[in-house]
Amino acid sequence: MNNQKQQKPTLSGQRFKTRKRDEKERFDPTQFQDCIIQGLTETGTDLEAVAKFLDASGAKLDYRRYAETLFDILVAGGMLAPGGTLADDMMRTDVCVFAAQEDLETMQAFAQVFNKLIRRYKYLEKGFEDEVKKLLLFLKGFSESERNKLAMLTGVLLANGTLNASILNSLYNENLVKEGVSAAFAVKLFKSWINEKDINAVAASLRKVSMDNRLMELFPANKQSVEHFTKYFTEAGLKELSEYVRNQQTIGARKELQKELQEQMSRGDPFKDIILYVKEEMKKNNIPEPVVIGIVWSSVMSTVEWNKKEELVAEQAIKHLKQYSPLLAAFTTQGQSELTLLLKIQEYCYDNIHFMKAFQKIVVLFYKAEVLSEEPILKWYKDAHVAKGKSVFLEQMKKFVEWLKNAEEAGK
């Protein structure tokens, strides 16, 4: 019996070559371009036929691999070299955005072509976004007419959700901003975007990508002011965008003021320094006094940890507010400011249930400290109060209001 282990068979001889189908195809955008351009030449400028051709070709051609080439052709008529120029020796087509008529209707029709294509081949979404970012960086390489068409098209695509507003980041490129290309492009883009939607929808899209506070960066640093932005875009026929940016700036300035105020109060800065700072901010950002008193009131009330017991909170509030009366009094020099403060106190006492019984005590304290005067208090009592807890607060104020009226009568 042979004890030797049987030898395992070995494979020898010639190694097989990799099958043709397994070989990675060479990247050849030129061949892809020729196929697309030939198809577009056959469809002509009928954009319905173009959309059908692109839909069908996706099954045969590698859109995923050649997305950039595909979008270059549809926008510029052929593959773009760095900087945005068309290569001289390449095939090109006139069935593209840049060769089309320069009007909104035509760009809306082209937007439909891109929309259908990306809905059909969802994987093209990212490639298209990258393409538009690239095209925006190439703006200087395009003619004014080509820029206008691209701006209108981009506005429509932003409106219908095919593009995300984050693509606008490309417009903050230093060279484009410096030469005024970004601002001029933005005018056409926002006009077509607002035309499709409205300023509120545009604002919501900008907010979503934290772009709502960056629009002034479309101008060089020495021109980044609300005044310059407003003048430029209003003269270009975009008053609603100018107003939106102005409001954004005001909201931002108010938030900043409140934040700084709270920090100054928690540090225990002297009231005269705080008052000086607030007055400078009011002047610089054009914030009216009635708005400021609301901010000061909120800041004063947020600097303390309030007692949870109703019987103790009133005493705590009076002590705290007595200390801050000089600060509040500095910003109630107008009747409207006093009325605003009364409404803020009413809302605060209603929203914070432990303060329900403290309303009258706070108003009397402010009257004695000359933060409030009789006329706004009487007006509030008569018809300027809000609905929040009004029956409770009007009842609390009844005796004091009668006393004020009698004092006023006696003074006549």
Side-chain angles (χ1 to χ4, degrees):
M1 192 178 179
N2 191 358
N3 287 329
Q4 253 188 324
K5 280 186 183 174
Q6 251 185 327
Q7 272 192 321
K8 287 183 181 175
T10 57
L11 284 171
S12 60
Q14 195 181 359
R15 185 173 288 184
F16 292 107
K17 281 186 179 175
T18 315
R19 289 179 182 182
K20 274 278 183 228
R21 70 177 183 214
D22 294 338
E23 275 182 14
K24 193 158 174 62
E25 237 184 293
R26 193 166 61 86
F27 184 70
D28 186 8
T30 311
Q31 194 183 349
F32 175 86
Q33 175 182 250
D34 295 349
C35 294
I36 294 290
I37 288 179
Q38 192 183 335
L40 291 175
T41 306
E42 285 165 20
T43 63
T45 52
D46 174 1
L47 294 183
E48 278 290 322
V50 169
K52 281 178 186 164
F53 159 71
L54 292 170
D55 189 303
S57 297
K60 296 173 279 186
L61 299 171
D62 194 346
Y63 280 180
R64 195 186 293 269
R65 201 165 183 216
Y66 298 110
E68 186 179 0
T69 307
L70 175 64
F71 293 129
D72 273 0
I73 296 164
L74 293 175
V75 173
M79 278 195 291
L80 290 169
T85 52
L86 281 170
D88 291 333
D89 54 342
M90 292 286 182
M91 273 178 78
R92 61 185 66 190
T93 174
D94 284 337
V95 185
C96 65
V97 171
F98 283 178
Q101 268 183 274
E102 191 187 321
D103 60 62
L104 189 56
E105 206 178 323
T106 307
M107 291 307 111
Q108 285 166 332
F110 262 101
Q112 280 306 307
V113 172
F114 287 105
N115 206 2
K116 285 175 187 170
L117 178 63
I118 289 157
R119 273 214 311 261
R120 174 74 175 84
Y121 300 103
K122 200 89 176 101
Y123 58 80
L124 285 174
E125 213 169 51
K126 175 79 172 67
F128 185 53
E129 216 159 270
D130 291 343
E131 173 74 10
V132 175
K133 286 178 188 173
K134 178 192 84 174
L135 290 170
L136 297 189
L137 289 173
F138 286 175
L139 285 178
K140 277 166 65 182
F142 306 143
S143 70
E144 192 182 342
S145 173
E146 288 167 348
R147 284 180 212 161
N148 290 345
K149 291 171 202 172
L150 183 60
M152 286 189 270
L153 175 73
T154 308
V156 176
L157 292 167
L158 283 163
N160 67 27
T162 306
L163 284 174
N164 181 296
S166 61
I167 57 111
L168 298 176
N169 261 317
S170 294
L171 290 179
Y172 300 131
N173 172 278
E174 196 183 337
N175 291 326
L176 295 176
V177 168
K178 197 165 71 180
E179 295 189 27
V181 174
S182 294
F185 186 86
V187 166
K188 294 280 182 188
L189 181 148
F190 280 110
K191 272 188 179 174
S192 77
W193 191 357
I194 292 168
N195 179 66
E196 296 289 309
K197 293 280 190 180
D198 62 26
I199 191 64
N200 297 324
V202 171
S205 298
L206 292 171
R207 247 193 324 274
K208 212 178 276 182
V209 293
S210 304
M211 204 74 81
D212 48 333
N213 289 317
R214 292 193 61 197
L215 293 179
M216 281 204 288
E217 291 174 41
L218 291 165
F219 296 103
N222 63 340
K223 290 180 180 173
Q224 282 178 21
S225 69
V226 179
E227 286 67 36
H228 182 76
F229 187 98
T230 305
K231 188 173 185 292
Y232 185 91
F233 279 93
T234 303
E235 283 174 3
L238 280 163
K239 194 167 186 283
E240 58 262 70
L241 186 70
S242 299
E243 283 169 2
Y244 166 70
V245 166
R246 191 178 280 283
N247 288 339
Q248 283 300 105
Q249 280 298 109
T250 308
I251 292 163
R254 289 173 191 180
K255 281 182 182 168
E256 200 52 48
L257 175 61
Q258 181 148 2
K259 189 178 156 208
E260 181 57 32
L261 251 182
Q262 285 169 346
E263 283 176 15
Q264 289 180 2
M265 286 177 194
S266 60
R267 285 199 305 262
D269 290 5
F271 287 162
K272 64 173 178 33
D273 294 349
I274 298 177
I275 291 165
L276 189 67
Y277 164 74
V278 174
K279 286 188 172 173
E280 280 173 1
E281 288 299 303
M282 282 170 73
K283 196 176 174 185
K284 189 168 86 180
N285 296 298
N286 204 19
I287 310 174
E289 191 186 80
V291 171
V292 168
I293 192 61
I295 295 170
V296 175
W297 164 261
S298 301
S299 304
V300 166
M301 295 308 278
S302 65
T303 57
V304 87
E305 191 71 46
W306 295 110
N307 202 303
K308 294 285 182 282
K309 291 180 179 170
E310 195 174 32
E311 62 275 13
L312 296 174
V313 83
E315 193 185 327
Q316 186 191 8
I318 295 304
K319 193 179 170 187
H320 177 67
L321 291 170
K322 195 172 185 177
Q323 183 194 341
Y324 279 94
S325 290
L327 181 62
L328 289 151
F331 302 103
T332 52
T333 64
Q334 304 165 11
Q336 189 55 51
S337 307
E338 293 182 55
L339 208 47
T340 300
L341 179 58
L342 277 161
L343 293 171
K344 290 285 179 189
I345 300 166
Q346 182 185 347
E347 285 171 3
Y348 189 91
C349 291
Y350 178 79
D351 294 338
N352 299 274
I353 199 148
H354 302 311
F355 280 81
M356 285 295 276
K357 289 180 182 173
F359 179 78
Q360 185 262 0
K361 289 174 181 161
I362 295 171
V363 175
V364 172
L365 164 75
F366 283 167
Y367 176 74
K368 287 178 180 171
E370 296 186 351
V371 175
L372 296 171
S373 53
E374 57 267 27
E375 202 181 316
I377 295 172
L378 294 173
K379 184 167 173 52
W380 173 87
Y381 186 82
K382 187 184 173 192
D383 56 20
H385 49 259
V386 286
K388 290 181 171 182
K390 78 170 184 182
S391 55
V392 176
F393 299 140
L394 291 175
E395 184 57 42
Q396 275 182 35
M397 291 290 288
K398 203 172 178 182
K399 282 183 182 173
F400 180 60
V401 165
E402 278 170 19
W403 178 84
L404 277 180
K405 282 178 180 171
N406 292 337
E408 199 176 30
E409 286 299 318
K412 279 180 182 176

